Amino acid sequence: MNTLVERIGDAAVVMVSGVSGSGKTTLAMALGAYGYEHLSIDRIMWRQHGMCGRDYPEEMFPVYLAEAETDLLSRLGDILSCGGKAVIDFTFCKRDKRDAYRKYVKSRGGDSVLIYCDTPLTEIKQRLHIRNLTPGPDAAIVTDAMAERFFDGFQRPGDDEPHIRYSVGQVF
């Protein structure tokens, strides 16, 4: 069996997908050792606006998310134009969003790989209980009810969508 890094190959962009608490950020940060610049929608949101529900009202989340995504795409375009590599740490919970990012990367001459962090809901909840104790740029507070909603609403990649399924403990 090939390691995860071998399966990624020489893709310019790795899209790390999964629900909150699935291990996206941990995986994305680990890919930094392989020359990938970590682009995190959560970090952009935190840097620009702080924590939802504390530093800004929840109804502003969609507006701020759209702004953060514009910033992320701009930075991604800059990285690709310089021949660099990036790992995008974003839920990518909908197929159309994943397809749009693939198209964006391809239009700029790059190849992308989708990694889906496949983590059981029970483990996600356990991780979130711990993570919720110290919220920060990589750790928005997520309740059990939110985790269940995110998990149930997530459009997992099917056999017709190129992706790498990643589980904790898998050979990196």
Side-chain angles (χ1 to χ4, degrees):
M1 175 205 252
N2 293 338
T3 67
L4 181 62
V5 173
E6 289 170 338
R7 293 177 69 195
I8 291 169
D10 59 356
V13 176
V14 177
M15 301 173 359
V16 181
S17 172
V19 298
S20 295
S22 64
K24 295 181 309 296
T25 300
T26 301
L27 177 57
M29 289 171 46
L31 287 172
Y34 297 89
Y36 289 91
E37 184 172 335
H38 182 200
L39 301 179
S40 166
I41 201 79
D42 291 338
R43 286 184 181 187
I44 294 169
M45 292 280 289
W46 184 272
R47 184 178 65 245
Q48 292 177 347
H49 304 289
M51 188 169 83
C52 181
R54 181 188 72 188
D55 300 314
Y56 64 90
E58 288 183 39
E59 59 269 13
M60 291 304 296
F61 182 82
V63 173
Y64 293 161
L65 180 63
E67 290 173 4
E69 192 169 359
T70 297
D71 290 352
L72 185 144
L73 286 169
S74 175
R75 180 67 191 126
L76 178 59
D78 291 345
I79 291 167
L80 291 171
S81 70
C82 295
K85 300 189 305 185
V87 57
I88 304 171
D89 178 358
F90 196 12
T91 60
F92 291 112
C93 62
K94 303 292 181 199
R95 169 80 185 254
D96 61 343
K97 178 68 74 176
R98 298 187 296 261
D99 289 344
Y101 271 73
R102 284 186 189 97
K103 185 177 178 180
Y104 180 88
V105 171
K106 187 172 183 135
S107 75
R108 281 150 182 80
D111 290 325
S112 62
V113 171
L114 174 70
I115 298 176
Y116 166 56
C117 293
D118 187 11
T119 308
L121 181 58
T122 54
E123 186 169 342
I124 287 170
K125 286 180 178 181
Q126 289 171 351
R127 290 177 181 181
L128 291 172
H129 290 166
I130 295 167
R131 191 178 88 177
N132 285 344
L133 298 173
T134 55
D138 296 316
I141 293 176
V142 179
T143 65
D144 281 354
M146 291 166 68
E148 290 167 9
R149 193 170 60 248
F150 297 159
F151 191 85
D152 292 343
F154 193 93
Q155 292 177 351
R156 286 153 186 79
D159 293 339
D160 65 331
E161 183 178 9
H163 69 282
I164 298 169
R165 186 172 305 273
Y166 178 77
S167 300
V168 175
Q170 188 174 336
V171 177
F172 193 75

